[in-house]
Amino acid sequence: MNTVFDRGAIRAFRFVRREFHAKTGEARLVYAFDDGPELIEVVRIPGAPFELDPDRAAAVDRALRLLHLVAGVSYYKAAVPPAIVVEGEPLDAATAALATLVYENGLGEFAYRNGLELRGRIVFPHVGTEPAPAPVLGLAPHALTAVGGGKDSLVSVEALRAAGVAQSAVWIGGSQLIHACAARTGLPLVNITRSLAPELFDYNRHGALNGHIPVTAVNSAILVLAALLRGVDQVVFSNERSASYGSLIEGTGEVNHQWSKGWAFEQAFGAYVAGRIAADLKYYSLLRPFSELAVARQFARTDRYDAHFSSCNRNFHILGARPTSRWCGQCPKCHFVFLALAPFMPKPRLMSIFGRNLLDEPNQAAGFDALIEYRDHKPFECVGEARESRAAFAALSWSPAWREDALVERFAREIRPQLGREELAVEPLLEPVDEHRIPPALWESLRASFAA
Ligand SMILES: CC(=O)N[C@H]1[C@@H](OP(=O)(O)OP(=O)(O)OC[C@H]2O[C@@H](n3ccc(=O)[nH]c3=O)[C@H](O)[C@@H]2O)O[C@H](CO)[C@@H](O)[C@@H]1O[C@H](C)C(=O)N[C@@H](C)C(=O)N[C@@H](CCC(=O)O)C(=O)O
Ligand SMILES: Nc1ncnc2c1ncn2[C@@H]1O[C@H](COP(=O)(O)OP(=O)(O)OP(=O)(O)O)[C@@H](O)[C@H]1O
């Protein structure tokens, strides 16, 4: 493309067609703006050729339709045109409602940063007929555990292992870091590849709208498809309770960067999968009842992954990682993970993971201030709630090992006196809540393994 991407002239975003090739495991998701070129996203699920009986083939097609709708968000956002057109069979009301929910909320940060109002503007056309409830397919008891290279999914892997749940470590994309973490689990590995339509990058260079998309919703829909193809009954994510809370922006309200990691998404998506795709396919987040601090404490209980994991998002760009080391030490994720692990890990171990002590670097004060919502809002990143960060700081400020470090000392002197002691306790934040979709027997075992 040599000209500008004239998004104002675009009238409609079209869902053109979806294809699945059982011999190769390749799904092709096809979109277009008006009569422009086809934008084709390709996802490949390993394990082909897939032999599917008619019921499973029909469920695979329903899952593919869901993935087509959800993954379209990457392209729709480039122009946000007035109309959405779904070609082929029309959507029913429940499917259209789920797609609208994902687009409106999952593009919340995108809309805020681009000064757009998307609520009420995203209309997926649908008809009034309701499809039959999804059948039971007789899927085998086995979890596809999504691995993201960070601490959360590794906590889930170990919890499922302890509970005796058969599982595979599954990841999407070409990240070597995630591959190394997945290999370190010792589980069977499943690496799914995904290529965005190359035209999108061209559009981005020529003036398309850009910003954050609900990537966990896309990954979830990919794993649902993979579970059906591989004939297994569970898709397990590792989204903690804290993901349900966004950043509070003055004059705007709450904007959640990680909306599709939150409880509202999990409930709607999980219910849709069981109700409309396959009745015995369970989608849930194993860490939903827990805070980031509870997950950090659990992670600290084994050093198996210390030399492999990273939560720093500079490792995870689709056009190639941009890290100088596994931890850049300067981004909100590095700040938060350092702070959250510090109360639960011996200091030398944490410093050897990061290669430095971030809490003794006075020039990083602003980054840590944002985490505790002091003079700034919580960053648009996957970090815990401000009350968790404040409680972690408070715990360190009473610890002989940490209290003399520059930023901890500053917290104790300047910020702690403004906060009530009851706001600063770590213990209440380690208590699980009973809001989750975890199968009951597994929940009992999980609760016991997280208890102190
Ligand atoms: C790695 C990262 O943080 N990427 C965000 C960044 O994108 P950037 O341009 O720096 O690099 P790429 O990720 O390589 O993306 C290239 C372009 O492609 C678009 N794109 C990418 C993936 C996709 O599924 N659809 C797309 O359209 C993207 O817009 C780029 O133009 O900045 C972007 C704009 O703010 C972010 O959207 C990129 O975030 C990725 C989608 C991503 O995978 N981010 C996760 C690390 C992440 O933020 N996870 C959240 C979960 C949030 C959720 O609701 O699911 C978290 O852990 O909190
Ligand atoms: N490339 C990926 N493939 C499959 N699942 C992924 C991928 N990236 C992230 N996930 C999953 O999405 C969820 C959110 O990712 P997130 O980055 O918060 O988790 P994490 O990498 O396990 O931990 P951390 O919060 O320490 O980064 C997790 O369940 C994670 O396993």
Side-chain angles (χ1 to χ4, degrees), residues 15 17-22 25-31 41-45 52 56-72 86 89 91 95 217-218 220-229 269 272-273 276-278 281:
F15 291 82
R17 68 178 181 284
R18 57 183 188 268
E19 297 168 11
F20 180 70
H21 302 279
E26 186 173 286
R28 295 168 73 81
L29 312 170
V30 185
Y31 312 92
E41 177 159 332
V42 180
V43 175
R44 190 174 283 113
I45 314 288
L52 304 169
R56 197 128 69 86
V60 163
D61 189 53
R62 293 191 290 275
L64 189 65
R65 179 178 71 164
L66 179 61
L67 173 59
H68 191 205
L69 291 170
V70 172
V86 181
E89 87 272 41
L91 301 181
T95 305
V218 178
S220 298
I222 292 174
L223 261 63
V224 163
L225 176 66
L228 290 171
L229 288 169
F269 187 85
Y272 183 92
V273 168
R276 301 304 177 109
I277 294 184
L281 179 50

Side-chain angles (χ1 to χ4, degrees), residues 13 15 29 31 41 63-76 95 98-100 102-103 107 124 194 213-222 259-260 265 269 272:
F13 178 62
F15 291 82
L29 312 170
Y31 312 92
E41 177 159 332
L64 189 65
R65 179 178 71 164
L66 179 61
L67 173 59
H68 191 205
L69 291 170
V70 172
V73 74
S74 293
Y75 309 94
Y76 168 83
T95 305
L98 180 67
T100 306
V102 169
Y103 278 54
L107 290 176
F124 280 83
R194 170 180 182 229
I213 57 109
V215 65
T216 304
V218 178
N219 289 344
S220 298
I222 292 174
W259 180 81
S260 66
F265 171 76
F269 187 85
Y272 183 92

